[in-house]
């Protein structure tokens, strides 16, 4: 646990512009999905002594829950918890929780992060049953440039070269540099917020899995499937689902400020 100074307001403004947020959306608050900027150092330190090849850890997804706006220019009370480490055949699953708030309310923002470390060969992929699906409705999208990964790195401090150095990413087995999963989440988050049927300051809950690498450059489309909760997925220009999950709007109203 620690107390951090307020996130630099110019950095917040740059991140808001990059994320595609609507004008005036964050006049006096910090976007929830900027959490990697202050959270990644603690999340990394929290697992660095685990007895596994942590350089191979892969982000599988996260769930963001928010109880109120994170105020701009306020000190941040941050806590990082190692919730679970579970060994399975040929892999280790890691669950961490990052909470961020203020002196008066420490849990304004809760981010549960899920990662996996592949420790051997033969890890079996989980099969999922296919149910009769409702139609997927496009609600927006954006074009991710070849430099999108570097932009996210400069805003958050996560300079893993697979996200912005093409030859390095190819050496690691990818077709080109791949966009950070949390960058995909940021852009998707703002797309969902803008298409919400009411004026709300944040999404009270969003849960996503990073299902396939998002190779740069690319054109992305956000699609939703109505229900309770509403399902969401991010589809690239080749029809590949790069991210999938669900989100809820019912816990917040337009009178929250």
């Amino acid at each position: 646990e620690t107390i951090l100074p307020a996130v630099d307001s110019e950095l917040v403004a740059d991140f808001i512009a990059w994320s595609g947020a609507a004008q005036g959306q964050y006049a006096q608050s910090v976007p929830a999905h900027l959490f990697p900027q202050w959270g990644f150092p603690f999340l990394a330190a929290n697992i660095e002594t685990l007895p596994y090849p942590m350089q191979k850890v892969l982000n599988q997804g996260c769930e963001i829950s928010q109880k109120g706006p994170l105020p701009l220019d306020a000190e941040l009370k941050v806590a990082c918890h190692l919730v679970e480490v579970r060994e399975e055949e040929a892999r280790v699953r890691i669950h961490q929780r990052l909470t961020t708030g203020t002196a008066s309310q420490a849990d304004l923002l809760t981010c549960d992060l899920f990662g996996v470390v592949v420790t051997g060969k033969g890890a079996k992929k989980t099969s999922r049953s296919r149910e009769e699906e409702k139609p997927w409705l496009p609600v927006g999208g954006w074009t991710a440039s070849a430099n999108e990964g570097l932009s996210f790195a400069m805003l958050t401090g996560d300079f893993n070269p697979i996200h912005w150095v093409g030859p390095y990413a190819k050496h690691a087995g990818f077709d080109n540099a791949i966009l950070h999963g949390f960058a995909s989440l940021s852009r998707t988050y703002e797309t969902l917020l803008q298409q919400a049927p009411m004026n709300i300051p944040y999404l009270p809950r969003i849960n996503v899995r990073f299902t396939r690498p998002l190779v740069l450059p690319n054109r992305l489309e956000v699609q939703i499937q109505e229900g309770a909760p509403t399902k969401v997925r991010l589809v690239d220009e080749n029809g590949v689902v790069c991210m999938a999950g669900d989100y809820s709007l019912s816990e917040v109203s337009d009178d929250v400020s």
Side-chain angles (χ1 to χ4, degrees), residues 17-230:
W18 168 84
S19 69
Q23 187 175 5
Q25 180 66 46
Y26 298 103
Q28 297 296 325
S29 63
V30 178
H33 47 89
L34 183 54
F35 77 87
Q37 196 278 330
W38 64 82
F40 274 179
F42 298 101
L43 293 163
N46 216 30
I47 60 175
E48 64 182 3
T49 59
L50 293 179
Y52 311 108
M54 299 311 299
Q55 71 276 11
K56 296 182 179 180
V57 65
L58 300 173
N59 293 316
Q60 287 199 309
C62 73
E63 180 169 11
I64 299 176
S65 302
Q66 192 165 3
K67 295 182 178 179
L70 201 61
L72 187 65
D73 299 329
E75 289 186 334
L76 301 180
K77 186 173 184 179
V78 179
C80 186
H81 306 272
L82 184 58
V83 179
E84 182 184 32
V85 178
R86 187 171 74 249
E87 294 184 352
E88 298 180 353
E89 182 182 1
R91 69 179 62 188
V92 179
R93 297 190 183 276
I94 300 171
H95 174 192
Q96 295 191 85
R97 179 171 296 139
L98 182 78
T99 56
T100 305
T102 62
S104 59
Q105 187 171 358
D107 61 345
L108 283 172
L109 180 65
T110 301
C111 304
D112 283 274
L113 299 98
F114 303 91
V116 64
V117 180
V118 177
T119 56
K121 297 180 179 180
K124 298 179 180 178
K125 294 183 178 180
T126 303
S127 60
R128 294 184 174 88
S129 60
R130 296 182 62 86
E131 300 177 355
E132 188 68 26
E133 289 190 342
K134 299 178 183 178
W136 286 93
L137 308 174
V139 294
W142 73 93
T143 297
S145 72
N147 295 321
E148 206 76 39
L150 180 58
S151 297
F152 188 74
M154 294 175 69
L155 290 163
T156 63
D158 183 0
F159 281 90
N160 187 333
I162 66 171
H163 299 307
W164 59 284
V165 182
Y168 186 96
K170 290 178 180 179
H171 182 72
F174 301 102
D175 293 335
N176 202 355
I178 60 172
L179 189 60
H180 202 301
F182 294 117
S184 301
L185 172 59
S186 291
R187 297 299 302 257
T188 300
Y189 185 108
E190 291 304 326
T191 300
L192 296 175
L193 201 57
Q194 290 178 44
Q195 68 84 41
M198 72 285 284
N199 180 25
I200 55 176
Y202 56 84
L203 297 179
R205 189 195 65 83
I206 183 169
N207 178 43
V208 298
R209 304 184 313 278
F210 306 130
T211 53
R212 291 290 187 277
L214 197 169
V215 181
L216 297 172
N218 218 315
R219 172 66 188 173
L220 291 311
E221 183 176 75
V222 178
Q223 301 175 353
I224 65 171
Q225 187 183 84
E226 295 181 348
T230 303

